[in-house]
């Protein structure tokens, strides 16, 4: 056993109050409990030391004797408590102020009543691939969802028609059993009834006593305009049926937008590239630009348009989810340069270069013939 004082073992000062001592012991008990440190002799020893220290310091009379005479003063009075003499029958003394069940969460137990009552079913997640057009304009999608539903033959009881589940004799219908481990009385799930609180001697053949069967359900999902990849759509009550007649869980549909051939999405804006002849870039003109809604709109190209220049079509982007308005469509201009030209075209271009040079020009460099 350590030569440290009880205060040092718990990591508190000699003036620590009862709450500070209890809190310190609680932290050490969780950290060094044998069930969490199987085979670790050092942890077991620290747990013993902390328990012994707490047993003395929590008792006012023992603490006064210890403060005055040390361990000898505690043991001499015959009222001392050595490790191994005290068995806690529940956790309420130390862990009750944490709402109950905190220690069970560390060692596999469960807090609360039995599991024989109705419980909400599991939530489901469904990944749905949609097009960019679907995200922009919304749609209704038909999907088939595999899920657990209440067995109609036994009405969810798990027992064959004409019979009923009976109270589990091991846990008396609570779904839990209590047994002592070391210094603590630990509550754990009843192994005989798996926590249900009841056993089925004549299980339903349709569901094998589970009370649930897997079926496929057709659901129509409304995709709102403006969703993004990763958007979650909650459909209440379309998850799995709950055990013992409990309500259905919820269905979460996660949207994934497929890559588009011509449009790129950036937030609520759409980006598109449009190639025009270099002559139109010089002289100006008008082009037809496709939109996500499937129609085309006219856009004017001003004289002197450069390659890479961006034009904005306001309000032709993606709607804002759950709000008003839309983003914009941005058109990036690219120039088409002909690889082959006629003799006449070449002569005209050379004349154009010559005229540009004589007027101060914007072309520099040598023309190869």
């Amino acid at each position: 056993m350590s030569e440290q004082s009880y205060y040092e073992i718990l990591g508190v000062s000699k003036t620590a109050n009862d709450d500070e001592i209890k809190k310190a012991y609680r932290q050490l008990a969780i950290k060094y409990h044998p069930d969490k440190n199987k085979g670790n002799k050092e942890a077991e020893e620290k747990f013993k030391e902390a328990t012994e220290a707490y047993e003395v310091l929590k008792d006012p009379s023992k603490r006064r004797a210890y403060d005055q005479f040390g361990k000898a003063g505690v043991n001499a009075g015959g009222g001392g408590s050595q490790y191994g003499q005290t068995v806690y029958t529940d956790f309420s003394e130390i862990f009750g102020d944490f709402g109950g069940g905190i220690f069970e969460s560390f060692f596999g137990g469960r807090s609360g009543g039995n599991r024989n009552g109705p419980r909400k079913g599991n939530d489901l997640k469904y990944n749905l691939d949609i097009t960019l057009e679907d995200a922009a304009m919304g749609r209704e999608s038909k999907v088939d969802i595999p899920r657990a539903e209440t067995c109609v033959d036994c009405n969810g009881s798990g027992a064959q028609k004409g019979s009923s589940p009976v109270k589990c004799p091991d846990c008396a219908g609570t779904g839990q059993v209590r047994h002592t481990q070391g210094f603590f009385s630990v509550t754990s799930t009843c192994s005989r009834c798996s926590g249900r609180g009841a056993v089925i001697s004549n299980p339903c053949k349709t569901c094998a006593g589970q009370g649930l069967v897997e079926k496929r359900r057709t659901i129509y999902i409304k995709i709102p305009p403006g969703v993004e990849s990763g958007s979650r759509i909650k459909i209440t009550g379309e998850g799995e049926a709950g055990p013992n007649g409990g309500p259905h869980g919820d269905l979460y549909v996660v949207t994934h937008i497929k890559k588009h051939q011509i449009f790129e999405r950036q937030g609520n804006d759409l980006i598109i590239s449009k190639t025009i002849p270099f002559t139109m870039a010089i002289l100006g003109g008008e082009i037809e630009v496709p939109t996500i809604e499937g129609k085309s709109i006219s856009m004017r190209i001003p004289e002197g348009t450069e390659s890479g220049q961006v034009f904005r079509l306001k309000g032709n982007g993606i709607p804002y989810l759950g709000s008003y308005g839309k983003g914009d469509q941005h058109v990036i201009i690219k120039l088409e340069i002909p690889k082959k030209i006629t003799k006449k075209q070449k002569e005209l271009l050379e004349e154009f270069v010559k005229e540009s040079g004589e007027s101060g020009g914007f072309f520099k460099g040598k023309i190869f013939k």
Side-chain angles (χ1 to χ4, degrees):
M1 193 65 70
S2 172
E3 295 300 321
Q4 290 181 301
S5 72
Y6 288 151
Y7 295 104
E8 291 173 333
I9 290 173
L10 295 181
V12 297
S13 68
K14 289 187 176 182
T15 59
N17 58 35
D18 292 342
D19 289 339
E20 292 172 330
I21 291 173
K22 181 186 293 186
K23 181 179 179 181
Y25 175 63
R26 178 170 50 223
Q27 293 173 342
L28 293 173
I30 291 174
K31 182 177 181 180
Y32 295 116
H33 192 278
D35 284 350
K36 287 182 66 67
N37 299 274
K38 295 185 183 298
N40 188 333
K41 296 297 183 181
E42 182 180 356
E44 181 180 347
E45 189 65 26
K46 288 183 180 294
F47 181 77
K48 292 179 181 179
E49 292 175 350
T51 301
E52 180 180 317
Y54 176 71
E55 280 298 295
V56 172
L57 298 184
K58 74 171 185 176
D59 186 295
S61 61
K62 295 177 185 178
R63 183 176 179 179
R64 284 195 297 270
Y66 176 75
D67 289 343
Q68 188 171 1
F69 302 107
K71 293 183 181 180
V74 177
N75 296 332
S81 176
Q82 296 298 307
Y83 175 82
Q85 294 177 330
T86 300
V87 177
Y88 296 103
T89 57
D90 58 50
F91 305 120
S92 60
E93 178 183 359
I94 303 171
F95 301 96
D97 56 333
F98 268 56
I102 184 172
F103 222 80
E104 288 91 334
S105 68
F106 279 89
F107 305 116
R110 293 176 58 92
S111 60
N114 66 62
R115 298 172 56 195
N116 200 30
R119 303 193 311 278
K120 184 179 179 181
N122 294 326
D123 293 336
L124 294 177
K125 175 185 173 183
Y126 186 87
N127 293 309
L128 180 64
D129 292 329
I130 63 174
T131 64
L132 188 59
E133 287 84 356
D134 296 335
M137 295 177 285
R139 62 169 285 190
E140 188 175 70
S141 181
K142 176 184 174 182
V143 298
D144 289 327
I145 306 290
R147 70 177 190 178
E149 295 189 4
T150 301
C151 176
V152 295
D153 288 343
C154 67
N155 200 27
S157 70
Q160 191 71 17
K161 284 185 178 180
S163 63
S164 301
V166 296
K167 183 186 293 185
C168 176
D170 289 2
C171 65
T174 65
Q176 300 176 340
V177 292
R178 184 182 291 271
H179 55 277
T180 300
Q181 291 185 353
F183 298 89
F184 294 91
S185 180
V186 177
T187 299
S188 61
T189 301
C190 176
S191 59
R192 181 166 184 174
C193 67
S194 300
R196 294 186 178 92
V199 291
I200 302 172
S201 57
N202 190 15
C204 172
K205 295 180 180 179
T206 303
C207 64
Q210 298 301 309
L212 300 171
V213 291
E214 184 172 306
K215 292 186 176 181
R216 301 189 72 87
R217 176 172 170 80
T218 299
I219 299 175
Y220 292 89
I221 301 170
K222 187 175 182 179
I223 307 298
V227 296
E228 302 181 37
S229 281
S231 292
R232 297 205 317 167
I233 303 170
K234 179 181 178 181
I235 305 177
T236 303
E238 290 294 352
E240 294 190 325
N244 306 314
H248 281 262
D250 301 321
L251 171 65
Y252 291 89
V253 178
V254 182
T255 56
H256 299 275
I257 301 176
K258 301 175 185 176
K259 186 176 180 180
H260 201 277
Q261 290 184 341
I262 62 174
F263 288 103
E264 178 186 346
R265 180 175 179 175
Q266 292 185 2
N268 288 86
D269 292 340
L270 292 174
I271 314 297
I272 187 174
S273 296
K274 190 68 176 176
T275 301
I276 64 173
F278 78 99
T279 51
M280 182 181 290
I282 298 171
L283 301 175
E286 194 171 273
I287 60 173
E288 293 293 314
V289 179
T291 66
I292 193 65
E293 295 179 353
K295 61 183 180 181
S296 296
I297 57 177
S298 296
M299 188 182 79
R300 192 177 73 85
I301 302 295
E303 296 179 7
T305 295
E306 297 180 358
S307 180
Q309 192 166 339
V310 180
F311 294 92
R312 184 179 71 152
L313 300 176
K314 187 175 181 180
N316 280 276
I318 302 292
Y320 294 101
L321 181 63
S323 185
Y324 297 99
K326 296 181 178 180
D328 302 321
Q329 179 172 326
H330 300 275
V331 183
I332 303 175
I333 297 299
K334 295 183 178 180
L335 300 186
E336 181 181 22
I337 308 297
K339 291 187 168 77
K340 292 183 179 181
I341 57 177
T342 65
K343 181 178 180 181
K344 180 65 175 177
Q345 289 172 331
K346 186 173 182 181
E347 290 173 353
L348 291 173
L349 285 174
E350 289 173 349
E351 184 65 24
F352 175 77
V353 172
K354 182 179 178 181
E355 288 292 327
S356 300
E358 290 176 355
S359 61
F362 45 84
F363 289 111
K364 292 184 180 181
K366 183 176 181 181
I367 301 296
F368 291 92
K369 299 183 180 180

Short mmCIF file of all heavy atoms in Angstrom, two decimals, residues 212-254:
data_model
loop_
_atom_site.label_atom_id
_atom_site.label_comp_id
_atom_site.label_asym_id
_atom_site.label_seq_id
_atom_site.Cartn_x
_atom_site.Cartn_y
_atom_site.Cartn_z
N LEU A 212 -40.96 -8.46 -35.59
CA LEU A 212 -40.73 -7.59 -36.74
C LEU A 212 -40.34 -8.42 -37.95
O LEU A 212 -39.65 -9.44 -37.81
CB LEU A 212 -39.63 -6.56 -36.45
CG LEU A 212 -39.86 -5.59 -35.29
CD1 LEU A 212 -38.59 -4.79 -34.99
CD2 LEU A 212 -41.02 -4.64 -35.61
N VAL A 213 -40.75 -7.99 -39.13
CA VAL A 213 -40.35 -8.65 -40.37
C VAL A 213 -39.88 -7.59 -41.35
O VAL A 213 -40.30 -6.42 -41.28
CB VAL A 213 -41.53 -9.43 -41.00
CG1 VAL A 213 -41.90 -10.63 -40.15
CG2 VAL A 213 -42.75 -8.53 -41.21
N GLU A 214 -38.98 -7.96 -42.24
CA GLU A 214 -38.46 -6.99 -43.22
C GLU A 214 -39.35 -6.98 -44.46
O GLU A 214 -39.65 -8.02 -45.04
CB GLU A 214 -37.03 -7.32 -43.61
CG GLU A 214 -36.43 -6.27 -44.56
CD GLU A 214 -34.95 -6.47 -44.82
OE1 GLU A 214 -34.18 -6.56 -43.84
OE2 GLU A 214 -34.58 -6.55 -46.00
N LYS A 215 -39.75 -5.77 -44.85
CA LYS A 215 -40.56 -5.58 -46.05
C LYS A 215 -40.02 -4.38 -46.82
O LYS A 215 -39.25 -3.58 -46.30
CB LYS A 215 -42.03 -5.35 -45.68
CG LYS A 215 -42.72 -6.56 -45.08
CD LYS A 215 -44.20 -6.30 -44.87
CE LYS A 215 -44.92 -7.54 -44.35
NZ LYS A 215 -46.37 -7.29 -44.17
N ARG A 216 -40.47 -4.27 -48.07
CA ARG A 216 -40.10 -3.11 -48.89
C ARG A 216 -41.31 -2.20 -49.01
O ARG A 216 -42.43 -2.67 -49.27
CB ARG A 216 -39.62 -3.55 -50.27
CG ARG A 216 -38.41 -4.47 -50.24
CD ARG A 216 -37.85 -4.70 -51.62
NE ARG A 216 -37.17 -3.51 -52.13
CZ ARG A 216 -35.89 -3.24 -51.89
NH1 ARG A 216 -35.16 -4.05 -51.15
NH2 ARG A 216 -35.34 -2.15 -52.41
N ARG A 217 -41.08 -0.92 -48.80
CA ARG A 217 -42.17 0.05 -48.85
C ARG A 217 -41.85 1.09 -49.91
O ARG A 217 -40.75 1.63 -49.96
CB ARG A 217 -42.34 0.71 -47.49
CG ARG A 217 -43.40 1.82 -47.48
CD ARG A 217 -43.65 2.30 -46.06
NE ARG A 217 -44.47 3.49 -46.02
CZ ARG A 217 -45.78 3.50 -46.12
NH1 ARG A 217 -46.42 2.36 -46.31
NH2 ARG A 217 -46.47 4.62 -46.05
N THR A 218 -42.83 1.37 -50.76
CA THR A 218 -42.68 2.39 -51.79
C THR A 218 -43.05 3.75 -51.20
O THR A 218 -44.12 3.92 -50.63
CB THR A 218 -43.58 2.08 -53.00
OG1 THR A 218 -43.19 0.82 -53.55
CG2 THR A 218 -43.42 3.16 -54.06
N ILE A 219 -42.13 4.70 -51.34
CA ILE A 219 -42.33 6.03 -50.78
C ILE A 219 -42.09 7.07 -51.87
O ILE A 219 -41.16 6.94 -52.68
CB ILE A 219 -41.37 6.28 -49.59
CG1 ILE A 219 -41.63 5.27 -48.48
CG2 ILE A 219 -41.51 7.70 -49.05
CD1 ILE A 219 -40.64 5.36 -47.33
N TYR A 220 -42.91 8.09 -51.90
CA TYR A 220 -42.73 9.20 -52.83
C TYR A 220 -42.08 10.36 -52.08
O TYR A 220 -42.65 10.87 -51.10
CB TYR A 220 -44.07 9.61 -53.43
CG TYR A 220 -44.64 8.56 -54.36
CD1 TYR A 220 -45.47 7.56 -53.86
CD2 TYR A 220 -44.32 8.55 -55.71
CE1 TYR A 220 -45.98 6.58 -54.71
CE2 TYR A 220 -44.84 7.58 -56.57
CZ TYR A 220 -45.66 6.60 -56.06
OH TYR A 220 -46.15 5.63 -56.89
N ILE A 221 -40.90 10.73 -52.53
CA ILE A 221 -40.12 11.75 -51.84
C ILE A 221 -40.14 13.04 -52.65
O ILE A 221 -39.80 13.05 -53.84
CB ILE A 221 -38.66 11.28 -51.66
CG1 ILE A 221 -38.63 9.98 -50.84
CG2 ILE A 221 -37.82 12.35 -50.97
CD1 ILE A 221 -37.28 9.32 -50.83
N LYS A 222 -40.52 14.11 -52.02
CA LYS A 222 -40.56 15.41 -52.70
C LYS A 222 -39.23 16.12 -52.49
O LYS A 222 -38.86 16.45 -51.36
CB LYS A 222 -41.71 16.26 -52.15
CG LYS A 222 -41.92 17.55 -52.93
CD LYS A 222 -43.14 18.31 -52.43
CE LYS A 222 -43.35 19.58 -53.25
NZ LYS A 222 -44.56 20.33 -52.81
N ILE A 223 -38.51 16.33 -53.59
CA ILE A 223 -37.23 17.02 -53.54
C ILE A 223 -37.49 18.51 -53.74
O ILE A 223 -37.94 18.93 -54.82
CB ILE A 223 -36.27 16.51 -54.63
CG1 ILE A 223 -36.14 14.98 -54.56
CG2 ILE A 223 -34.91 17.18 -54.50
CD1 ILE A 223 -35.57 14.47 -53.28
N PRO A 224 -37.21 19.35 -52.76
CA PRO A 224 -37.47 20.79 -52.92
C PRO A 224 -36.40 21.46 -53.77
O PRO A 224 -35.23 21.02 -53.77
CB PRO A 224 -37.43 21.31 -51.47
CG PRO A 224 -36.51 20.36 -50.76
CD PRO A 224 -36.72 19.02 -51.40
N PRO A 225 -36.75 22.49 -54.52
CA PRO A 225 -35.74 23.21 -55.31
C PRO A 225 -34.67 23.81 -54.40
O PRO A 225 -34.97 24.33 -53.32
CB PRO A 225 -36.55 24.31 -56.00
CG PRO A 225 -37.97 23.83 -55.98
CD PRO A 225 -38.10 23.04 -54.71
N GLY A 226 -33.42 23.71 -54.84
CA GLY A 226 -32.32 24.33 -54.10
C GLY A 226 -31.49 23.38 -53.27
O GLY A 226 -30.52 23.81 -52.63
N VAL A 227 -31.81 22.08 -53.24
CA VAL A 227 -31.02 21.15 -52.44
C VAL A 227 -29.60 21.05 -52.99
O VAL A 227 -29.35 21.32 -54.16
CB VAL A 227 -31.67 19.74 -52.39
CG1 VAL A 227 -33.01 19.79 -51.68
CG2 VAL A 227 -31.79 19.15 -53.78
N GLU A 228 -28.69 20.66 -52.13
CA GLU A 228 -27.29 20.48 -52.52
C GLU A 228 -26.90 19.02 -52.29
O GLU A 228 -27.65 18.25 -51.69
CB GLU A 228 -26.39 21.41 -51.71
CG GLU A 228 -26.71 22.88 -51.84
CD GLU A 228 -25.76 23.73 -51.01
OE1 GLU A 228 -24.57 23.38 -50.93
OE2 GLU A 228 -26.21 24.73 -50.43
N SER A 229 -25.72 18.66 -52.73
CA SER A 229 -25.18 17.34 -52.39
C SER A 229 -24.94 17.31 -50.88
O SER A 229 -24.26 18.17 -50.34
CB SER A 229 -23.87 17.07 -53.14
OG SER A 229 -24.12 16.69 -54.47
N GLY A 230 -25.51 16.30 -50.23
CA GLY A 230 -25.38 16.20 -48.78
C GLY A 230 -26.57 16.76 -48.02
O GLY A 230 -26.64 16.62 -46.80
N SER A 231 -27.53 17.38 -48.73
CA SER A 231 -28.75 17.87 -48.05
C SER A 231 -29.52 16.67 -47.51
O SER A 231 -29.62 15.62 -48.14
CB SER A 231 -29.63 18.65 -49.02
OG SER A 231 -29.03 19.87 -49.39
N ARG A 232 -30.09 16.83 -46.29
CA ARG A 232 -30.87 15.76 -45.67
C ARG A 232 -32.34 16.17 -45.62
O ARG A 232 -32.68 17.23 -45.11
CB ARG A 232 -30.37 15.47 -44.25
CG ARG A 232 -28.94 14.96 -44.19
CD ARG A 232 -28.67 14.12 -42.96
NE ARG A 232 -29.24 14.67 -41.74
CZ ARG A 232 -29.34 13.98 -40.61
NH1 ARG A 232 -28.92 12.74 -40.56
NH2 ARG A 232 -29.84 14.53 -39.53
N ILE A 233 -33.18 15.29 -46.11
CA ILE A 233 -34.62 15.51 -46.09
C ILE A 233 -35.22 14.52 -45.10
O ILE A 233 -35.10 13.30 -45.27
CB ILE A 233 -35.23 15.31 -47.49
CG1 ILE A 233 -34.55 16.25 -48.50
CG2 ILE A 233 -36.73 15.54 -47.46
CD1 ILE A 233 -34.93 15.95 -49.93
N LYS A 234 -35.85 15.02 -44.05
CA LYS A 234 -36.43 14.16 -43.02
C LYS A 234 -37.88 13.84 -43.36
O LYS A 234 -38.68 14.73 -43.60
CB LYS A 234 -36.35 14.85 -41.66
CG LYS A 234 -36.96 14.03 -40.52
CD LYS A 234 -36.88 14.78 -39.20
CE LYS A 234 -37.54 13.98 -38.08
NZ LYS A 234 -37.49 14.72 -36.78
N ILE A 235 -38.19 12.55 -43.35
CA ILE A 235 -39.57 12.11 -43.56
C ILE A 235 -40.00 11.38 -42.29
O ILE A 235 -39.59 10.25 -42.02
CB ILE A 235 -39.68 11.19 -44.79
CG1 ILE A 235 -39.10 11.91 -46.02
CG2 ILE A 235 -41.12 10.80 -45.03
CD1 ILE A 235 -39.11 11.07 -47.26
N THR A 236 -40.80 12.06 -41.50
CA THR A 236 -41.19 11.55 -40.19
C THR A 236 -42.03 10.28 -40.30
O THR A 236 -42.95 10.20 -41.13
CB THR A 236 -41.98 12.63 -39.43
OG1 THR A 236 -41.19 13.81 -39.33
CG2 THR A 236 -42.33 12.16 -38.02
N GLY A 237 -41.67 9.30 -39.48
CA GLY A 237 -42.47 8.08 -39.39
C GLY A 237 -42.27 7.07 -40.49
O GLY A 237 -43.01 6.09 -40.56
N GLU A 238 -41.28 7.26 -41.34
CA GLU A 238 -41.04 6.31 -42.43
C GLU A 238 -39.80 5.46 -42.18
O GLU A 238 -39.27 4.85 -43.09
CB GLU A 238 -40.93 7.03 -43.77
CG GLU A 238 -42.24 7.61 -44.28
CD GLU A 238 -43.28 6.55 -44.63
OE1 GLU A 238 -42.94 5.34 -44.62
OE2 GLU A 238 -44.43 6.91 -44.90
N GLY A 239 -39.34 5.42 -40.92
CA GLY A 239 -38.24 4.53 -40.56
C GLY A 239 -38.78 3.16 -40.19
O GLY A 239 -39.89 2.77 -40.57
N GLU A 240 -38.01 2.40 -39.42
CA GLU A 240 -38.42 1.05 -39.05
C GLU A 240 -39.46 1.08 -37.93
O GLU A 240 -39.49 2.01 -37.11
CB GLU A 240 -37.22 0.22 -38.61
CG GLU A 240 -36.23 -0.05 -39.74
CD GLU A 240 -35.19 -1.07 -39.36
OE1 GLU A 240 -34.79 -1.08 -38.18
OE2 GLU A 240 -34.77 -1.84 -40.25
N ALA A 241 -40.29 0.06 -37.91
CA ALA A 241 -41.28 -0.06 -36.83
C ALA A 241 -40.57 -0.31 -35.51
O ALA A 241 -39.51 -0.92 -35.46
CB ALA A 241 -42.24 -1.20 -37.14
N GLY A 242 -41.17 0.18 -34.44
CA GLY A 242 -40.58 0.01 -33.12
C GLY A 242 -40.91 -1.34 -32.52
O GLY A 242 -41.99 -1.90 -32.75
N PRO A 243 -40.00 -1.90 -31.72
CA PRO A 243 -40.28 -3.17 -31.04
C PRO A 243 -41.46 -3.04 -30.08
O PRO A 243 -41.74 -1.97 -29.54
CB PRO A 243 -38.97 -3.45 -30.28
CG PRO A 243 -37.93 -2.64 -30.99
CD PRO A 243 -38.64 -1.42 -31.47
N ASN A 244 -42.15 -4.14 -29.89
CA ASN A 244 -43.27 -4.20 -28.95
C ASN A 244 -44.36 -3.19 -29.26
O ASN A 244 -44.97 -2.61 -28.36
CB ASN A 244 -42.77 -4.01 -27.51
CG ASN A 244 -41.65 -4.97 -27.15
OD1 ASN A 244 -41.74 -6.16 -27.43
ND2 ASN A 244 -40.59 -4.45 -26.54
N GLY A 245 -44.58 -2.97 -30.56
CA GLY A 245 -45.65 -2.06 -30.95
C GLY A 245 -45.28 -0.60 -30.88
O GLY A 245 -46.16 0.27 -30.94
N GLY A 246 -44.01 -0.30 -30.78
CA GLY A 246 -43.56 1.10 -30.70
C GLY A 246 -43.71 1.82 -32.02
O GLY A 246 -43.89 1.20 -33.08
N PRO A 247 -43.64 3.16 -32.00
CA PRO A 247 -43.81 3.94 -33.23
C PRO A 247 -42.64 3.77 -34.19
O PRO A 247 -41.54 3.37 -33.79
CB PRO A 247 -43.89 5.38 -32.72
CG PRO A 247 -43.12 5.36 -31.43
CD PRO A 247 -43.39 4.01 -30.83
N HIS A 248 -42.88 4.11 -35.45
CA HIS A 248 -41.83 4.05 -36.46
C HIS A 248 -40.78 5.13 -36.21
O HIS A 248 -41.08 6.21 -35.68
CB HIS A 248 -42.42 4.26 -37.86
CG HIS A 248 -43.08 3.04 -38.41
ND1 HIS A 248 -42.47 2.19 -39.29
CD2 HIS A 248 -44.32 2.52 -38.19
CE1 HIS A 248 -43.30 1.20 -39.61
NE2 HIS A 248 -44.42 1.38 -38.94
N GLY A 249 -39.55 4.83 -36.59
CA GLY A 249 -38.50 5.85 -36.61
C GLY A 249 -38.70 6.75 -37.81
O GLY A 249 -39.74 6.74 -38.47
N ASP A 250 -37.69 7.54 -38.13
CA ASP A 250 -37.78 8.49 -39.23
C ASP A 250 -36.85 8.07 -40.37
O ASP A 250 -35.89 7.33 -40.17
CB ASP A 250 -37.40 9.90 -38.75
CG ASP A 250 -38.31 10.38 -37.63
OD1 ASP A 250 -39.52 10.11 -37.70
OD2 ASP A 250 -37.80 11.03 -36.68
N LEU A 251 -37.14 8.57 -41.56
CA LEU A 251 -36.32 8.31 -42.74
C LEU A 251 -35.60 9.59 -43.13
O LEU A 251 -36.22 10.66 -43.23
CB LEU A 251 -37.19 7.84 -43.91
CG LEU A 251 -36.51 7.72 -45.28
CD1 LEU A 251 -35.43 6.64 -45.26
CD2 LEU A 251 -37.54 7.42 -46.37
N TYR A 252 -34.28 9.49 -43.31
CA TYR A 252 -33.48 10.64 -43.73
C TYR A 252 -32.95 10.36 -45.14
O TYR A 252 -32.19 9.41 -45.35
CB TYR A 252 -32.33 10.88 -42.76
CG TYR A 252 -32.79 11.37 -41.41
CD1 TYR A 252 -33.10 10.47 -40.39
CD2 TYR A 252 -32.91 12.74 -41.15
CE1 TYR A 252 -33.53 10.91 -39.14
CE2 TYR A 252 -33.34 13.19 -39.91
CZ TYR A 252 -33.64 12.28 -38.91
OH TYR A 252 -34.08 12.73 -37.69
N VAL A 253 -33.40 11.18 -46.09
CA VAL A 253 -32.97 11.04 -47.48
C VAL A 253 -31.83 12.03 -47.72
O VAL A 253 -31.98 13.23 -47.52
CB VAL A 253 -34.14 11.32 -48.44
CG1 VAL A 253 -33.66 11.22 -49.88
CG2 VAL A 253 -35.28 10.36 -48.18
N VAL A 254 -30.67 11.51 -48.13
CA VAL A 254 -29.50 12.33 -48.39
C VAL A 254 -29.32 12.45 -49.91
O VAL A 254 -29.19 11.43 -50.61
CB VAL A 254 -28.23 11.74 -47.76
CG1 VAL A 254 -27.03 12.65 -48.00
CG2 VAL A 254 -28.44 11.53 -46.26
#
